[in-house]
Amino acid sequence: MSYTLEGFSADCRRLLAAEPGAPGREKVRALLEKVLLDDEFIAAHLGDDVPDRKILYEDPQLGFCVCAHFYQGAKESQPHDHGPSWAIYGQAHGETVMSDFALVEPPAESRPGTVRRVRSYALKPGMAHLYNEGDLHAPRREGSTKLIRIEGQNLETVRRKPYRCL
């Protein structure tokens, strides 16, 4: 049976309300992995007409967002966190190489923070990874990718601090 966006969002809300913090998010991450294998859900929400970022659902009570992303072509992003929020990246198509970083020096008003790469790993279709508040990471892709990402709050409204890698 295929998931609907309404059913998926309601299950996310239920899990996050029942267990705020990392334990509830981990349950949402596991649920997202199941949804990523649902061909009907992916076809309905991650077509070739999806832009880089499309908010599919924004919860009016808890504030989390379910977003669709269709990134075309190769790209490497700078290390970042999500400020006061968290995010779960769910790979639907293609492959994203994620790198995790350790903080060496925090950012200041006039200069970016400094980080050191700790590890890199591939997110392949059907995989999802949770990044809690302050988790420093950076995605890299060699080609086009499609993702479902869940954000703890709408990250378009979050100011992120810059980091540079040693």
Side-chain angles (χ1 to χ4, degrees):
M1 183 173 143
S2 184
Y3 250 106
T4 64
L5 179 60
E6 295 76 19
F8 176 61
S9 300
D11 285 350
C12 289
R13 181 184 326 105
R14 179 182 50 77
L15 292 168
L16 293 169
E19 285 189 85
R25 297 171 197 164
E26 180 56 32
K27 289 180 180 175
V28 170
R29 185 206 60 75
L31 177 62
L32 178 56
E33 285 191 339
K34 291 178 185 175
V35 170
L36 291 167
L37 299 176
D38 182 335
D39 291 335
E40 288 180 39
F41 185 93
I42 297 304
H45 302 291
L46 270 175
D48 289 342
D49 61 336
V50 170
D52 278 1
R53 174 188 168 85
K54 178 181 180 183
I55 296 177
L56 301 175
Y57 173 81
E58 188 166 358
D59 191 79
Q61 284 84 36
L62 301 179
F64 71 89
C65 295
V66 176
C67 301
H69 299 274
F70 179 18
Y71 298 120
Q72 297 187 43
K75 184 178 180 184
E76 184 167 2
S77 296
Q78 292 298 310
H80 65 276
D81 62 18
H82 297 116
S85 190
W86 54 269
I88 302 170
Y89 288 64
Q91 195 77 30
H93 292 288
E95 184 174 302
T96 301
V97 175
M98 297 297 288
S99 293
D100 292 343
F101 296 86
L103 181 65
V104 174
E105 189 174 356
E109 285 299 318
S110 61
R111 64 167 172 67
T114 306
V115 297
R116 174 181 44 83
R117 188 182 320 269
V118 174
R119 70 180 182 130
S120 295
Y121 47 95
L123 287 182
K124 297 180 181 195
M127 297 173 72
H129 192 90
L130 167 63
Y131 299 93
N132 283 303
E133 298 90 342
D135 287 349
L136 293 158
H137 58 283
R140 178 176 52 82
R141 62 183 187 272
E142 299 300 322
S144 297
T145 60
K146 293 182 179 182
L147 295 92
I148 297 289
R149 191 168 80 162
I150 303 171
E151 304 170 346
Q153 68 185 76
N154 185 339
L155 292 177
E156 290 177 330
T157 65
V158 172
R159 182 176 175 261
R160 300 183 199 189
K161 296 178 181 175
Y163 294 91
R164 63 179 179 83
C165 192
L166 286 178

